[in-house]
Amino acid sequence: MNGNPVYYALALVAATLLLFPFPIALLVGWTPPGLGAREVRKPYAHAILCLYLQAPLNALPRIADFPQGVVTACATLGVACGGMAVACLVRALRAGRRIAAGGER
């Protein structure tokens, strides 16, 4: 009913390998060149983690072959995580502008 679970498992592995290490490195303290201060780094990390969270929310219920209502609810939560990612990116942009204008906080 939910499709081939192998495809969802592969997508989950790919998302984990591609999206998960970068925000963890940002939260631990690594700063790539040009990103700037901690106030900018943390919201970017949170945004990428929100985008990563969409992968397990969409894949795991389908792999486990849950009923369609549960799959739909998890997909809706995934869309909400996308909205949270946008909010985190807006927060990062505001923090970057505030730092560029000269005010640290």
Side-chain angles (χ1 to χ4, degrees):
M1 177 176 183
N2 289 320
N4 192 346
V6 174
Y7 297 132
Y8 295 114
L10 289 174
L12 184 59
V13 167
T16 301
L17 291 176
L18 295 174
L19 289 175
F20 200 59
F22 184 67
I24 297 302
L26 285 175
L27 290 174
V28 169
W30 175 72
T31 303
L35 189 55
R38 182 171 191 249
E39 291 81 15
V40 177
R41 189 177 57 201
K42 283 186 71 174
Y44 276 124
H46 292 145
I48 297 171
L49 284 174
C50 286
L51 291 176
Y52 166 74
L53 189 57
Q54 289 179 336
L57 280 174
N58 284 314
L60 293 177
R62 289 178 169 95
I63 291 171
D65 200 26
F66 285 153
Q68 192 61 34
V70 174
V71 172
T72 303
C74 288
T76 304
L77 284 174
V79 171
C81 287
M84 287 300 300
V86 169
C88 289
L89 288 174
V90 168
R91 183 175 162 214
L93 289 172
R94 286 185 178 173
R97 286 183 183 165
R98 187 172 42 243
I99 290 171
E104 273 301 309
R105 288 194 175 221

